[in-house]
Structure formats: C-alpha cells, structure tokens
Amino acid sequence: MCSLILSKKEEEILKGEKGEILQLAMKILISVGKIFNATKLVPIKSAHISGISIQNIGEPGLKFLEKVSKEKVLIQTTCNPGALDEKRWRKQNINEEYATQQLKIYSFLRKMGVSPSFTCTPYLIGNKPIPNEFNSWGESSAVIVANSFFNSYTNREPGPLTIASALIGKTPYYGLLIKENRIETINVKLILKKRKKMDLTNLSAIGYAIGECVGEGVPLINGIKIYSLEEYKSFGSALATSSNVSLFKFTRSNKKTKLEKIELDEKDIKNVFEKFHSSNEWDLGLIGCPHLSLKEIIGIYKLLKNKNNKIKRRIILYTSRKILDIANKLGYKKEIEEKGIEFFADTCMVVSPIEKMNFDILAVDSCKAAHYLSSRGFKVVLKNRKEILEG
Ligand code: F3S
C-alpha cells in the first residue's frame, strides 16, 4: 500500500497506462516519497539533474539514461557538468572510448528535451528559481543557492529522482518544500576580524567551517553578511559540502533565542586552510567550482590585465558553455587565453578524470573542489584566486 495519496492521473501512470518509462518515474517518486513520509506529489516549476558524469555513474547510469530518454521532460530542466568538454575533450587527454560514453549521455539528455546546460550554475543561464515555487534539483551547490538566495523551494535530490520529477512534472512533498521545515534551527555566531572585503576563498572557508560544525539543519548566521550571487555560490557550495545543509539565513540581530548557539572564530577558518594545504608548491591551478559567472570572468580579466608576462604554470577555468560564449563575444575569453590560461566548459575538475592532466599538486580557490579532490587522493592547496592567477 502506498502512503502517498495519488490523484487519478498519477494512479494511471503508476499502473503503466502511460507507458513503462513514466511508470518507472512514478515508482521512483513514490519510493523516495515513502522514505521521507511525503503525503502527496506537488507540481514543480523546474528540475536540475545531477549525476550525469560517466566518471560517477558509470555503465549502469548510462543504461538508465538511455532507457528514460525515450520520454520527454515536461518542465524546464537543466543538467550538471559531465566528464568532458564537448568541443575540447581531446585537450583533457581523454581516450575515444571514454569520450564516446560521455557523449552518449549528453545526447540522451538532449533527446529527453533537457537543456544541454552541463553546469552546476543553472541559475546563471536561464533556469532561475522562482521565489516560493517548488523545484526538484540535484547538485548541492545549486540547491543551497536556490533556497537561500532565491528563496525558491527544493530539497537536495538524488539524480534519478530529478529525472523522474522532470518526466512527471511533480515531486514528493517533504523536507524543505514544507514551510515549517525552513525555519532556522541553530544560531551561528562568527567572531571574525574586520576585513574591507572578504574574498570568495575566505567565504568558502567560512562556509566549510560552519558546515563542519552544524552538520545539518537551517543555520541562522550572525557576524557576516553577503550579498552577491557569486558570494552565495562560493559560501553556500562549501557549506553544503561539509554538511547536509541546503538552506541558510543571515541575521544582524544578537537577540537571545532558544536555539542552540555555536561560535566560530578565526582559528576555525585557519583550520580549513591548514586542512587543505598539502604543500607550498603547486603545478596546476583550477578555478571555477562552482562554475564561473560572467562577472567572475571579467574579474579574472581585470586581475590579469596589467600582467605583462604569460602565466608560468598551467591554469584552467571552468564555466558553462553559455557563459563562455558570452565571454567570447565580449572579448574576455581571448584576452584571458592570451595570458596562457585555458577554459573548459560542460565539465569541471571534480567530475572529470583530472588525473589525465599530468600534475603533482593542484591549487584551487574553492573548498568544495579541495574537499572532493583531496578525497580522491590528490594533493591540494587552497589559495585565493589572485594568488593562483599570479601563476
Ligand atoms: Fe560544480 Fe563541479 Fe564544483 S559540479 S560545484 S564545479 S564540483
């Protein structure tokens, strides 16, 4: 017996009256819904599919995508980066066989009507979450931005659920889709030195440190305030990496509440930099976790503008194809490339076989990248963007 109350139409889909793929999708929605005690399915505005890299999902994931690609998505749907840049994958030292597998995944997604966004920042290229509307998004870094910056509602969903939701146009009503679950659960007080402006790497380290402390829930943070989308994505992606947090809030008030309170200071932030400091040296710099916005690319251009020499070490920037095309039209791509820096789109340092790049130590400016690359056994150094670009 299903604990979810289904509409007549949903029952028909479950019985297979609309075909076996939609039946499978409905079964996925119901099984996830049951795990989280959802009572109904609710219509969604958009979906964002994570887990499309052959590196992570392998042959079983490819087969699943091939199967579901016989149906079309019903709502606006974007997807995460895969293992390769569609246009420059040979520069990633990937072999034909591996590339063929990933390119098949890209084509199955296109066949389903998924926008070939291949980015973790769908909100920068048209899949902009609408306040107070329901969505089904995977990718922790995008989910936390959708909830915290846009005040749109999504759980951090597993990849197959996001696909099922996109095919049915609905998702189980549970977790952060329910207003009462969006109320803050813990107070976080930051005691930090006054800085003129916090760079994105520092924000990433603060987010990571908070995540390590709180683990889950909805933190209400006092002691810093961030404003821009770029700041939210750096801070939020790191917070979502070291914890299960998918929504955070800020407060200026020091008012006493009944909530548990934790305090973090400079030492906690320093610990994060020490955790990701394998060496004083590095030979491959990776920037763009989460994918770079146009504003960040312009920022990089400005940092490099007065540099006369070419960069000595190899540096790669990751962004979405759409943002890269705009940067190209505006001339920033060429200017940056002339300094000896490369761009990759459709992929990132974590979901691609980065080991093919021939390096000893990686420099990154994001705690999410540092976390996942270290957990894959690579030597990593966390540095700010300016330090990496000094090459
Ligand atoms: Fe995006 Fe890859 Fe980082 S998917 S958030 S650039 S790990």
Side-chain angles (χ1 to χ4, degrees):
M1 279 294 284
C2 176
S3 62
L4 279 166
I5 299 170
L6 299 180
S7 69
K8 195 162 165 276
K9 206 171 155 204
E10 289 160 0
E11 291 278 10
E12 285 168 8
I13 297 173
L14 185 62
K15 281 186 202 144
E17 290 173 20
K18 304 285 174 195
E20 67 158 329
I21 305 302
L22 293 187
Q23 182 184 36
L24 172 65
M26 187 55 85
K27 282 184 179 168
I28 294 172
L29 297 186
I30 291 171
S31 32
V32 174
K34 275 182 172 177
I35 294 169
F36 294 104
N37 296 322
T39 51
K40 59 180 176 181
L41 302 180
V42 287
I44 50 171
K45 284 284 175 204
S46 73
H48 179 74
I49 301 171
S50 59
I52 67 139
S53 166
I54 190 71
Q55 166 106 349
N56 304 335
I57 62 175
E59 189 71 20
L62 186 145
K63 289 261 178 290
F64 174 75
L65 281 166
E66 181 172 21
K67 186 170 179 178
V68 295
S69 70
K70 290 176 195 123
E71 288 288 348
K72 294 260 185 255
V73 298
L74 294 183
I75 45 161
Q76 180 177 29
T77 306
T78 43
C79 60
N80 243 17
L84 57 82
D85 180 312
E86 269 195 306
K87 296 189 178 167
R88 296 186 68 239
W89 60 266
R90 284 187 176 79
K91 296 277 178 207
Q92 291 176 260
N93 299 332
I94 289 171
N95 67 38
E96 295 272 346
E97 197 189 334
Y98 187 93
T100 307
Q101 302 271 79
Q102 183 63 62
L103 292 170
K104 272 188 196 168
I105 291 177
Y106 290 166
S107 76
F108 295 145
L109 289 160
R110 283 190 167 97
K111 196 174 153 207
M112 288 171 79
V114 175
S115 158
S117 55
F118 309 132
T119 183
C120 47
T121 56
Y123 43 82
L124 293 175
I125 58 158
N127 191 357
K128 192 171 162 188
I130 302 168
N132 305 310
E133 292 286 359
F134 298 140
N135 311 279
S136 177
W137 282 25
E139 175 48 47
S140 64
S141 70
V143 166
I144 199 164
V145 168
N147 282 314
S148 313
F149 185 85
F150 292 100
N151 192 29
S152 203
Y153 290 19
T154 175
N155 289 305
R156 187 191 296 192
E157 306 289 19
L161 183 94
T162 58
I163 296 172
S165 296
L167 292 173
I168 302 286
K170 293 184 177 179
T171 205
Y173 183 61
Y174 77 97
L176 289 177
L177 265 47
I178 300 171
K179 256 201 173 111
E180 296 80 71
N181 295 338
R182 300 175 69 88
I183 297 169
E184 47 274 16
T185 57
I186 185 162
N187 269 318
V188 178
K189 170 85 183 149
L190 291 169
I191 305 158
L192 301 174
K193 282 190 299 218
K194 280 228 160 42
R195 296 171 170 87
K196 263 197 193 148
K197 187 164 165 33
M198 192 82 79
D199 70 43
L200 294 178
T201 310
N202 263 294
L203 284 175
S204 178
I206 296 170
Y208 193 89
I210 294 174
E212 280 187 315
C213 261
V214 302
E216 58 186 10
V218 182
L220 179 66
I221 302 162
N222 176 251
I224 62 164
K225 182 80 185 91
I226 59 177
Y227 299 95
S228 72
L229 191 45
E230 284 74 13
E231 290 171 327
Y232 268 78
K233 81 179 172 69
S234 290
F235 178 85
S237 63
L239 171 52
T241 295
S242 55
S243 72
N244 288 321
V245 171
S246 290
L247 167 66
F248 61 90
K249 301 176 183 183
F250 290 110
T251 178
R252 287 219 168 115
S253 146
N254 273 318
K255 249 195 338 210
K256 283 212 167 111
T257 66
K258 285 189 182 139
L259 294 180
E260 183 194 345
K261 183 174 171 182
I262 57 159
E263 288 189 351
L264 279 88
D265 59 24
E266 293 291 342
K267 189 168 50 40
D268 299 290
I269 316 306
K270 200 167 154 237
N271 287 345
V272 176
F273 280 92
E274 278 169 8
K275 174 175 179 155
F276 300 123
H277 190 82
S278 306
S279 160
N280 290 326
E281 274 306 313
W282 57 274
D283 52 359
L284 175 61
L286 305 169
I287 298 174
C289 172
H291 274 175
L292 294 169
S293 68
L294 182 63
K295 190 171 155 193
E296 288 176 285
I297 293 177
I298 295 172
I300 289 170
Y301 157 76
K302 285 183 179 161
L303 284 171
L304 295 168
K305 204 166 60 169
N306 297 322
K307 197 170 165 51
N308 295 324
N309 305 331
K310 278 203 168 193
I311 300 289
K312 288 187 214 77
R313 291 182 260 209
R314 190 173 183 192
I315 297 177
I316 301 171
L317 309 182
Y318 294 89
T319 187
S320 62
R321 177 73 53 199
K322 215 165 184 173
I323 296 287
L324 188 57
D325 286 347
I326 299 171
N328 188 29
K329 279 199 190 106
L330 297 175
Y332 294 112
K333 177 174 178 279
K334 187 165 169 274
E335 295 271 358
I336 292 172
E337 283 174 340
E338 277 173 3
K339 302 286 181 193
I341 293 178
E342 289 168 75
F343 281 95
F344 280 125
D346 317 318
T347 186
C348 83
M349 64 289 264
V350 171
V351 299
S352 62
I354 195 80
E355 59 280 4
K356 311 255 182 224
M357 294 289 197
N358 295 330
F359 60 86
D360 287 321
I361 301 154
L362 299 167
V364 295
D365 65 347
S366 140
C367 287
K368 176 165 182 177
H371 176 98
Y372 285 107
L373 292 168
S374 324
S375 65
R376 277 170 61 188
F378 299 121
K379 284 189 178 164
V380 171
V381 189
L382 181 65
K383 289 190 161 287
N384 74 32
R385 195 162 290 177
K386 193 161 174 271
E387 288 168 335
I388 298 176
L389 291 170
E390 271 155 16

